Amino acid sequence: MKILIDNGHGKETPGKCSPDGRLKEYAYTREIADRLVTGLQNEGIDAQRIVPGENDVALFERVRRVNAIGKDAILVSIHCNAMGSGAEWMSASGWSVFVGVNASMNSKRLARQLAQVALNRKVKVRRPSPQKLYWTANFYICQKTNCPAVLVENFFQDNKEDVEFLLSEEGKQCVTNILLEGITNYLKEYQRNM
């Protein structure tokens, strides 16, 4: 199975940064994507980024790239959340994962595995209810891909404490480890159920 990593937005996408400009989503998600791909490859897992450059790639093109690989893959789209316009600090905080409204059982399994790892690491996981570990949303990249797909929102780029954590080595490693362990746990569960 191939693991496809999508890093959200490009350097020219307006907004998409912390109010103080220290965290730029395009740069942060690419760094996490690179760490994740390296970590997966070190585990012997076939992984690649679908947007290797810094410029934005249209969603339909991202979906085309994923679907060209086929159904024997999973997609994880990496983002940082925001509550406001990016002009001022806000209070919303925490980590979350989303699936599409038409999500397959495997998309939901992947989302649950990721969220469970985050909870095990004592991360604040935002969720719609105590029993449901993931959100459902009409995200194009999750809706239109042929393989299981999730979108993760790694804390808030307009929350001062979240930004400090995200920019720290501890935070970067935490985010990477949630994704790495969640994906490997999903692959183990998938193989058991085959």
Side-chain angles (χ1 to χ4, degrees):
M1 180 167 306
K2 187 179 282 285
I3 312 305
L4 305 173
I5 307 301
D6 173 50
N7 31 257
H9 309 294
K11 67 179 180 180
E12 72 283 6
T13 308
K16 307 299 180 191
C17 67
S18 60
D20 61 6
R22 290 173 51 222
L23 187 148
K24 300 201 181 320
E25 185 174 3
Y26 86 90
Y28 186 83
T29 58
R30 280 160 176 75
E31 180 179 352
I32 297 301
D34 284 340
R35 287 173 177 236
L36 178 57
V37 167
T38 298
L40 289 166
Q41 290 173 344
N42 288 343
E43 297 284 330
I45 298 168
D46 187 5
Q48 72 179 62
R49 282 176 51 192
I50 63 167
V51 181
E54 289 189 345
N55 292 328
D56 207 359
V57 172
L59 285 169
F60 71 84
E61 174 57 20
R62 293 174 192 229
V63 167
R64 188 201 64 75
R65 290 176 186 183
V66 172
N67 289 343
I69 290 167
K71 293 183 179 181
D72 197 22
I74 65 169
L75 171 72
V76 176
S77 186
I78 302 172
H79 295 260
C80 294
N81 215 337
M83 182 56 77
S85 66
E88 59 187 352
W89 295 109
M90 307 296 282
S91 62
S93 65
W95 181 95
S96 54
V97 61
F98 293 79
V99 298
V101 296
N102 62 341
S104 66
M105 286 307 300
N106 283 332
S107 294
K108 294 173 184 176
R109 282 189 188 106
L110 176 58
R112 279 194 297 272
Q113 288 288 359
L114 291 164
Q116 192 58 59
V117 170
L119 287 171
N120 292 347
R121 292 179 174 273
K122 309 297 185 223
V123 165
K124 176 185 176 183
V125 175
R126 296 171 61 90
R127 47 192 171 170
S129 72
Q131 297 78 29
K132 192 170 181 185
L133 297 178
Y134 57 85
W135 298 85
T136 303
N138 193 20
F139 289 131
Y140 187 90
I141 196 135
C142 292
Q143 298 280 101
K144 300 295 184 181
T145 48
N146 292 333
C147 66
V150 298
L151 185 146
V152 292
E153 293 280 12
N154 295 294
F155 302 93
F156 280 75
Q157 63 196 8
D158 55 5
N159 176 291
K160 198 174 276 191
E161 291 76 26
D162 278 7
V163 168
E164 291 302 325
F165 180 68
L166 286 167
L167 292 176
S168 71
E169 184 54 35
E170 176 193 2
K172 291 175 183 179
Q173 200 56 53
C174 178
V175 168
T176 303
N177 288 342
I178 289 169
L179 300 172
L180 180 59
E181 189 179 334
I183 290 168
T184 55
N185 289 350
Y186 168 83
L187 292 174
K188 289 173 190 170
E189 181 184 7
Y190 180 83
Q191 288 167 348
R192 283 194 305 268
N193 293 330
M194 283 185 64

